Amino acid sequence: MTEKLDIDHLRQWVGRAQEATDIVTAQLVKSLRATLFQEVGEPRTGDAAPFTVHWCLAQPVFPMSMLGPDGHPTRGGFLPPVPLPRRMWAGGEIEFLEPLRVGDESTRTSRIADVQVKSGSTGTLCFVSVEHSISSPRGVAIRERQDIVYREMTGTQAAPAKAPSPPPKAQHRETHVSDPVLLFRYSALTFNGHRIHYDRDYVTKVEGYPGLIFHGPLQAAFIIEMAAKLRGGTAPKKFTYRGVQPLFEGTEFSINANDSGESMELWTANAEGQPTMKGTAVW
């Protein structure tokens, strides 16, 4: 039975802030390049890191005794103690101002921007928006808003899906396989203990999904790198994205783009071509 959700209590977390610092190392850059199917190379001091390397930096570290049954830290602390059991990265917005580089000391300043409760087809949803500012020795490098959604446990079987619409056509497309090793590597790089990404018994028997779940940030990372590659290696000034449906391990997935010149529509898709994350990039 889920504890009663007290929105007035949870909104007391709005405005809370914290700061964390880390170093962009050559080893981290090599590992992230390998995970994103890029040429690994031998990164040297001053070389630009992958655009979403900040998601690997200064991740919170808690002792094992402080982890909950899902592998996340027990509720409370910086994030509000939302009593809904399922937690997912729903989407967000990123502004890229300056690349992070090998050797940089990077500082992330984070603030709880909003807490909202809504009703959806799966029951009660609680959205927590977190604003981040990531700086390097050269100044602010990235501004970001992350939207985290908490929801109820709805049982072991999902409702039958409606007939899918025809998959969108893409001007540009890359395909890869979402195997468990890829998911494990990204969990390790981001120090993400969430069991839905590596514990098949947990994700299928407790949360009721058909398999391991592909990280939302990893999908966004692939999308951003593709967008930059299509624009000569330049990251978008702003990238807005949202999760559409889960992407599971063991299947082919694609990264897709349609470029209108002024902006670029991007998405990841499952083996059937149905979008799993959608984003818009502008330069």
Side-chain angles (χ1 to χ4, degrees):
M1 192 74 176
T2 301
E3 177 187 341
K4 180 177 173 58
L5 196 155
D6 183 345
I7 184 60
D8 292 331
H9 175 62
L10 297 178
R11 285 192 59 80
Q12 293 178 19
W13 265 254
V14 174
R16 292 197 181 194
Q18 68 176 14
E19 188 174 282
T21 300
D22 205 347
I23 303 292
V24 182
T25 66
Q27 182 66 22
L28 173 60
V29 169
K30 287 176 68 173
S31 300
L32 185 55
R33 285 176 180 176
T35 303
L36 296 177
F37 301 108
Q38 298 177 348
E39 183 178 344
V40 175
E42 291 294 338
R44 300 179 183 276
T45 299
D47 288 353
F51 295 109
T52 57
V53 71
H54 64 289
W55 287 338
C56 305
L57 296 172
Q59 291 301 315
V61 177
F62 293 85
M64 295 295 293
S65 60
M66 292 182 64
L67 300 183
D70 62 355
H72 276 306
T74 49
R75 306 301 166 88
F78 173 63
L79 290 172
V82 179
L84 302 175
R86 280 182 169 174
R87 170 180 163 178
M88 303 287 281
W89 192 319
E93 183 176 275
I94 310 175
E95 294 179 69
F96 293 100
L97 307 175
E98 162 77 25
L100 291 174
R101 300 181 179 277
V102 175
D104 282 351
E105 180 178 86
S106 173
T107 298
R108 183 183 65 244
T109 303
S110 305
R111 173 183 172 274
I112 305 296
D114 199 10
V115 180
Q116 295 287 341
V117 174
K118 300 179 182 180
S119 294
S121 59
T122 58
T124 301
L125 304 171
C126 182
F127 290 88
V128 177
S129 293
V130 186
E131 294 176 345
H132 302 283
S133 176
I134 295 94
S135 65
S136 75
R138 296 171 298 283
V140 176
I142 297 168
R143 295 192 185 98
E144 178 180 11
R145 188 196 75 247
Q146 293 175 2
D147 299 325
I148 302 167
V149 62
Y150 298 81
R151 62 188 185 92
E152 298 173 293
M153 200 75 77
T154 55
T156 57
Q157 294 295 328
K162 297 179 181 178
S165 56
K169 294 183 179 180
Q171 296 171 340
H172 308 277
R173 185 171 184 262
E174 295 180 2
T175 60
H176 300 285
V177 175
S178 59
D179 70 359
V181 177
L182 175 65
L183 304 189
F184 173 81
R185 279 185 161 195
Y186 196 72
S187 287
L189 282 169
T190 55
F191 203 65
N192 183 351
H194 199 182
R195 292 169 66 177
I196 63 172
H197 303 304
Y198 61 86
D199 187 336
R200 190 172 287 104
D201 280 350
Y202 173 83
V203 76
T204 57
K205 296 177 181 178
V206 177
E207 298 218 8
Y209 291 105
L212 300 177
I213 297 176
F214 201 106
H215 310 67
L218 181 54
Q219 293 184 66
F222 278 120
I223 288 174
I224 291 166
E225 293 292 341
M226 182 177 191
K229 183 167 64 175
L230 292 172
R231 290 295 182 95
T234 302
K237 290 182 179 178
K238 183 179 290 187
F239 175 67
T240 307
Y241 64 102
R242 64 182 177 88
V244 178
Q245 62 175 315
L247 176 61
F248 298 102
E249 48 122 355
T251 63
E252 182 182 87
F253 72 97
S254 60
I255 313 154
N256 306 270
N258 284 331
D259 191 348
S260 68
E262 296 181 356
S263 64
M264 194 181 296
E265 298 301 317
L266 301 117
W267 66 98
T268 47
N270 59 24
E272 290 73 41
Q274 297 300 316
T276 56
M277 175 175 284
K278 294 181 177 180
T280 301
V282 294
W283 281 261

